[in-house]
Amino acid sequence: MPRTLEGQITMEKTPSYFVTKEAPKRIYNMSRDTKLIVVVRNPVTRAISDYTQTLSKNPTLPSFQALAFKNVSTGLIDTSWSAVRIGIYAKHLDNWLQYFPLSRFLFVSGERLVSDPAGEMGRVQDFLGLQRLVTETHFYFNETKGFPCLKKPEGSGRPRCLGKSKGRPHPKIHPQVIQRLQEFYRPFNMKFYQMTGQDFGWD
Ligand SMILES: Nc1ncnc2c1ncn2[C@@H]1O[C@H](COP(=O)(O)OS(=O)(=O)O)[C@@H](OP(=O)(O)O)[C@H]1O
């Protein structure tokens, strides 16, 4: 954890916290006042993104379809595959709500982070009790990258986009596989919308 001065905020992130069983208890015991920010995107796209990342490190990986299904003909999804399991957000949130009230959380839409980065960053700044210093003026849409980038990051006069491993093209997945996964996630997504009081528009 980085050290901070009075009046500064310490921030720490890893994609694993939200899905790690022991994390809520450990964080609660460290500081029960911690504010928690969770970035979520459509779990189907998330699973494909996760697969794309693993595939980039291991080109001999079986196909997405082979990993996602326990039985392709019956459409039985393999929930033990982490790329699938991580997207069951309602289940993970349930675990966190044993320790932290909903008011400690901010759920950021991964989709809106791309379509309206300043809007989502506005919500983050409000949640953290910060002045809205990061605004529209700080972002531009980079056509080559296909994503928003920062115009002038702190301490640099040059624009900056996220690295090559963020915003990679995804492999083409059969529409029926996508549809079956959408169906699989629908009840969990509905539960998640209900728990958070936010409709993320994935269904
Ligand atoms: N501005 C901008 N530039 C590039 N990428 C962006 C941006 N905003 C959001 N995204 C999406 O972030 C996805 C990668 O985030 P990760 O969750 O994999 O990152 S991390 O594991 O937490 O480090 C990455 O997923 P993939 O598209 O699957 O690569 C992007 O869709």
Side-chain angles (χ1 to χ4, degrees), residues 106-139:
L106 177 73
F107 298 95
V108 172
S109 154
E111 285 82 10
R112 281 203 302 272
L113 207 50
V114 176
S115 64
D116 178 19
E120 282 307 276
M121 285 309 293
R123 294 180 64 235
V124 171
Q125 292 167 92
D126 292 349
F127 177 69
L128 295 176
L130 297 170
Q131 219 184 314
R132 283 198 176 203
L133 291 180
V134 179
T135 62
E136 294 285 352
T137 59
H138 293 87
F139 298 96

Side-chain angles (χ1 to χ4, degrees), residues 13-15 41 45-46 48-50 52-53 110 113-114 145 147-149 161-170:
K13 76 117 195 174
T14 164
R41 76 198 285 194
T45 331
R46 208 217 70 80
I48 300 170
S49 171
D50 197 325
T52 309
Q53 171 127 336
L113 207 50
V114 176
K145 177 92 183 159
F147 282 92
C149 298
C161 296
L162 291 180
K164 277 206 267 283
S165 67
K166 311 286 170 200
R168 277 184 284 228
H170 292 173

